[in-house]
Amino acid sequence: EESYSALGNAAKLRDTTESELRSDLAEQVKSLQAQLDQATAENRRLQEQRVHDSDVWDEERKQMKNEYDLVVHQQEVELKTRKAKIESELQMKAAELQEMTSKASHAESRAKSVEEELARSATQVQAQRD
């Protein structure tokens, strides 16, 4: 009877140990599954964040390019305006110079005529004296 009792106790111990092992194993599997689910969710969140960040960066790049293009365009317009103003001033100065040159030429011509007239008068006066 003792050996049957010892055998029964050993069977109970084996069943209890096996049950505890199964329970522990089930807990470990459950814990690992929870960790896997959490890691999967985090991975998905990170992928979504990366896509979002990529979209944001694309938008920021487009906005920066548009701002750059606008600044370049404004500078081009400003330069063209300054160029047109300078060209206009140059044309006015060229016209003034042409007018002054014409007046100077006319004055030189007039001075030459007056000189010639004075020379003739001087010659006539001299001839009358002689």
Side-chain angles (χ1 to χ4, degrees):
E1 213 174 284
E2 267 186 50
S3 39
Y4 284 120
S5 180
L7 271 173
N9 285 339
K12 274 187 190 176
L13 184 59
R14 186 196 71 209
D15 290 344
T16 302
T17 304
E18 189 177 313
S19 176
E20 287 174 353
L21 286 174
R22 284 180 193 263
S23 178
D24 285 350
L25 197 56
E27 284 297 319
Q28 288 178 8
V29 166
K30 197 180 208 181
S31 174
L32 288 173
Q33 185 63 47
Q35 290 176 21
L36 177 62
D37 291 346
Q38 185 179 3
T40 302
E42 180 67 10
N43 189 33
R44 186 177 306 115
R45 188 191 69 75
L46 289 173
Q47 286 176 345
E48 289 170 357
Q49 182 67 39
R50 187 178 71 225
V51 168
H52 172 74
D53 289 350
S54 177
D55 291 346
V56 168
W57 278 106
D58 286 347
E59 278 302 311
E60 287 180 3
R61 264 192 300 266
K62 286 177 189 174
Q63 184 177 353
M64 287 173 63
K65 184 184 181 314
N66 288 341
E67 289 171 1
Y68 173 79
D69 289 346
L70 179 62
V71 167
V72 168
H73 176 71
Q74 289 171 339
Q75 289 176 344
E76 287 174 347
V77 167
E78 182 182 319
L79 286 174
K80 285 178 182 176
T81 301
R82 284 177 33 202
K83 179 183 175 192
K85 183 178 177 183
I86 290 169
E87 287 174 344
S88 174
E89 288 177 13
L90 283 175
Q91 287 176 350
M92 286 174 35
K93 295 293 181 188
E96 287 176 17
L97 182 61
Q98 181 66 33
E99 184 180 339
M100 288 179 163
T101 303
S102 176
K103 284 180 180 178
S105 177
H106 180 69
E108 283 179 25
S109 176
R110 190 99 164 87
K112 191 173 183 182
S113 293
V114 168
E115 273 182 28
E116 289 172 356
E117 185 64 36
L118 283 174
R120 272 195 303 265
S121 292
T123 305
Q124 285 177 355
V125 167
Q126 188 65 33
Q128 287 177 358
R129 283 189 189 161
D130 290 339

